[in-house]
């Protein structure tokens, strides 16, 4: 993923690398009972964080999931991208500055 983990992304419990294989342990999400309205909620959350939706259309219910506590998440992190290359560079610089503090 070319951006930081955001609140609309599936929560990660652990991540790592074994040899050449990367792994992620994520919260189990469900997709039964989801409708168009839920897609709109996730798309709005992505836009509020300053990203654009990519390859994520109005009826793409398969791109979202709902947790046991009822929170909606984006399943495919590549569906939320930086608006421009400037936004990506600015975010990376901001992240480096935070690490230096």
């Amino acid at each position: 993923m070319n951006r930081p983990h955001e609140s609309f992304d599936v929560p990660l419990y652990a991540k790592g690398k074994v040899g050449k294989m990367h792994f992620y342990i994520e919260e189990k999400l469900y997709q039964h009972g989801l409708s168009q309205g839920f897609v709109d909620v996730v798309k709005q959350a992505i836009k509020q964080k300053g990203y654009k939706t990519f390859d994520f259309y109005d009826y793409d219910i398969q791109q979202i999931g709902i947790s046991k506590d009822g929170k909606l998440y984006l399943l495919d992190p590549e569906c939320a991208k930086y608006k421009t290359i400037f936004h990506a560079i600015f975010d990376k610089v901001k992240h480096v500055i935070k690490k230096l503090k």
Side-chain angles (χ1 to χ4, degrees), residues 1-10 12 15 22 24 26 51 74-82 92:
M1 185 164 59
N2 292 327
R3 61 171 177 77
H5 190 269
E6 294 287 353
S7 59
F8 54 79
D9 290 314
V10 180
L12 289 175
K15 65 180 180 176
H22 294 266
Y24 300 90
E26 302 175 329
Y51 298 97
L74 178 65
L75 295 174
D76 183 356
E78 295 300 318
C79 288
K81 296 191 176 210
Y82 288 108
K92 297 231 187 265

Side-chain angles (χ1 to χ4, degrees), residues 7-99:
S7 59
F8 54 79
D9 290 314
V10 180
L12 289 175
Y13 295 130
K15 65 180 180 176
K17 184 177 177 183
V18 177
K20 292 183 179 183
M21 182 182 76
H22 294 266
F23 69 89
Y24 300 90
I25 300 174
E26 302 175 329
E27 181 173 344
K28 179 170 175 58
L29 300 181
Y30 303 91
Q31 292 186 298
H32 58 277
L34 296 177
S35 66
Q36 160 67 38
F38 293 110
V39 174
D40 293 339
V41 169
V42 174
K43 287 174 83 171
Q44 188 63 31
I46 292 168
K47 291 176 184 174
Q48 284 178 346
K49 288 287 188 169
Y51 298 97
K52 67 178 179 178
T53 56
F54 180 78
D55 197 26
F56 186 28
Y57 305 103
D58 290 341
Y59 293 98
D60 279 349
I61 296 169
Q62 72 276 7
Q63 301 286 22
I64 62 172
I66 191 166
S67 66
K68 288 187 292 188
D69 62 352
K71 185 154 182 188
L72 292 167
Y73 294 105
L74 178 65
L75 295 174
D76 183 356
E78 295 300 318
C79 288
K81 296 191 176 210
Y82 288 108
K83 290 182 179 178
T84 66
I85 190 70
F86 171 77
H87 290 96
I89 292 168
F90 179 74
D91 199 47
K92 297 231 187 265
V93 169
K94 195 167 60 172
H95 184 70
V96 168
I97 291 171
K98 281 183 183 178
K99 278 189 173 182

